[in-house]
């Protein structure tokens, strides 16, 4: 699994436009092959900072997405920003859930 995390800080005057653009592409991205999830979050301490987080089954699925029209829309929205976004791709080898909390708190 691969997580794609894009952290964006936008000027207040572009906030509405950027959020509308991101909201419009969430559902189409979620329908792409290999997409596990795709969500957009607003930082509660800095309302002009958002996280766009995607989870992909494989590197191939992510690469196909990076060449897609939907990711092109993201790139276009990011060009409206004064500050370059922080983009990270994390390869996840394993995951754990509540059982990890229970084991640690034992």
């Amino acid at each position: 699994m691969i997580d794609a995390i894009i952290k964006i800080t936008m000027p207040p005057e572009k906030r509405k436009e950027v959020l509308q653009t991101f909201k419009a592409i969430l559902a189409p991205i979620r329908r792409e092959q290999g997409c596990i999830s795709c969500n957009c979050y607003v930082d509660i301490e800095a309302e002009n900072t958002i996280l766009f987080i995607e989870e992909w089954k494989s590197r191939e699925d992510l690469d196909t997405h990076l060449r897609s029209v939907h990711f092109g829309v993201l790139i276009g929205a990011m060009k409206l920003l004064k500050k370059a976004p922080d983009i990270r791709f994390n390869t996840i080898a394993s995951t754990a859930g509540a059982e990890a909390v229970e084991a640690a708190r034992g």
Side-chain angles (χ1 to χ4, degrees), residues 35-78:
C35 181
I36 297 169
S37 68
C38 179
N39 296 286
C40 185
Y41 302 96
V42 175
D43 186 325
I44 62 170
E45 294 180 317
E47 69 179 18
N48 292 319
T49 299
I50 61 173
L51 290 176
F52 197 85
I53 301 176
E54 305 169 332
E55 292 180 300
W56 296 91
K57 290 181 183 176
S58 71
R59 181 64 204 205
E60 294 77 22
D61 293 328
L62 173 61
D63 287 346
T64 299
H65 168 62
L66 294 176
R67 293 186 297 268
S68 73
V69 171
H70 306 126
F71 196 77
V73 171
L74 279 175
I75 290 171
M78 290 186 282

Side-chain angles (χ1 to χ4, degrees), residues 70-102:
H70 306 126
F71 196 77
V73 171
L74 279 175
I75 290 171
M78 290 186 282
K79 287 182 180 178
L80 297 173
L81 310 174
K82 295 176 185 174
K83 183 179 174 185
D86 179 20
I87 301 174
R88 296 179 184 232
F89 300 102
N90 301 313
T91 301
I92 311 299
S94 66
T95 60
E99 69 278 2
V101 175
E102 291 174 18

